[in-house]
Amino acid sequence: MNHYVDTHAHIFAEQYADDFEEMLNRCAEAGVDQIMIITLSHDETMKAVEFAKKDPERFQVAAGIFPEDVKDLTDEMWEEFKETVKDPMISCVGEIGLDYYWEKDPEVRALQREVFIRQIELAKEIGKPILVHSRDAMQDTFDIMKAHHTRGLLHCFSGTKEMAKEFTKLGYYIALGGALTFKNARHSVEVCETIDEKYLLSETDCPYMAPTPFRGKRNEPSYIPLIVKKMAEVRGVSEEYMAEVIHANWHRFLSGENQ
Ligand SMILES: [Zn+2]
C-alpha cells in the first residue's frame, strides 16, 4: 500500500465534529499516515497538541497567526503565541502569510506584512519551518521570503510555473492540492509538471478545496490519493513512485536536512 502525506489539514474544524473518528479511520484505510494539523487559534492549537501527543508518528501540529487575524492581534496574544510555538509538539509555524484577496485596505495589508515577517523571524529563532498562505499577493510574499530567508513551503500554491521556480531556487517547497484536479486548472498543472520533484508536496487544505469528484463538498485527508494520482499523471510517473517521492520530501522538509 502507498503511504501518503497531507501537509495541510484543518481537521479540528467544526465540520468534523460529528464524525471525527470515522474520518480518521478513512484516512488510515487510504494510507494517509502523515497529517499536518493546521491550527489558527490558541484553543485549537492546544486541542491539537493534546491529540497529536497520542500518535506523534502520524500527526504533527502547526500554529500560526493567519493574515486575516492580524487586525485583532494584541501584545498579550503575541506573547502567548511566542511561548506556545516553542512546544516540541509544534513542528511548523503556519499558516502565515498575506491575503490581499480578502483584504483591500492598504494599512491592514502593511500590517499583514509586518506580522508575517515577525513570525518568520520567530520561526528562524526557534528553528522551525514556515507554512505560507499567499493569495493575490505573490510578489510581496516572494520579496519577504527572499529577504527573510528561511525553510518553508508555499501552501495551495496558485502562482505561475516561473514563480514556483523562483521559490524552489531559494529552497522553498510547493504544496499542491484539490485545485490541481479541477477542469480549469492551468497554473497548478504547469507547476506540477515543471518543478523539480524534490520540492513537490501534497495537501488537502480540508475542509475546503475538495478534489474532483468531490469538488464543492467537504474535503478530508483521505482524498490525498486522488491528488497524488493526478500529480503522477501530469508528471508521467507511477502513483507509487509519486507517493514515495512526496513522502521523502516531507521527511526532508521537517528534518531540515540537505537544505
Ligand atoms: Zn489552511
Side-chain angles (χ1 to χ4, degrees), residues 180-242:
L180 182 67
T181 67
F182 298 169
K183 245 195 208 142
N184 54 356
R186 200 188 103 224
H187 284 326
S188 306
V189 170
E190 286 178 359
V191 169
C192 180
E193 213 170 10
T194 55
I195 72 165
D196 184 339
E197 68 173 18
K198 72 184 250 229
Y199 295 110
L200 187 58
L201 293 168
S202 53
E203 67 161 52
T204 57
D205 199 15
C206 67
Y208 307 108
M209 296 294 282
T212 306
F214 302 107
R215 188 174 184 178
K217 304 218 173 73
R218 187 188 74 171
N219 196 1
E220 60 178 51
S222 71
Y223 298 162
I224 281 285
L226 294 167
I227 292 159
V228 174
K229 182 171 187 268
K230 178 72 183 189
M231 286 175 169
E233 265 170 45
V234 168
R235 293 185 69 91
V237 297
S238 69
E239 277 176 63
E240 201 177 15
Y241 176 81
M242 198 72 257

Side-chain angles (χ1 to χ4, degrees), residues 67-123:
E68 283 171 60
D69 296 332
V70 298
K71 275 182 289 190
D72 309 317
L73 182 66
T74 62
D75 289 345
E76 290 74 24
M77 284 159 74
W78 173 252
E79 291 305 318
E80 183 181 59
F81 177 72
K82 260 170 44 182
E83 283 311 304
T84 310
V85 287
K86 287 182 195 156
D87 190 305
M89 282 305 299
I90 296 176
S91 41
C92 297
V93 177
E95 58 190 302
I96 60 174
L98 306 175
D99 196 314
Y100 295 172
Y101 179 83
W102 291 110
E103 188 55 67
K104 309 287 182 205
D105 182 340
E107 268 178 47
V108 183
R109 285 180 174 185
L111 183 61
Q112 285 189 358
R113 291 192 290 276
E114 191 218 302
V115 175
F116 183 29
I117 292 168
R118 251 203 272 167
Q119 292 184 93
I120 295 175
E121 292 304 325
L122 172 62

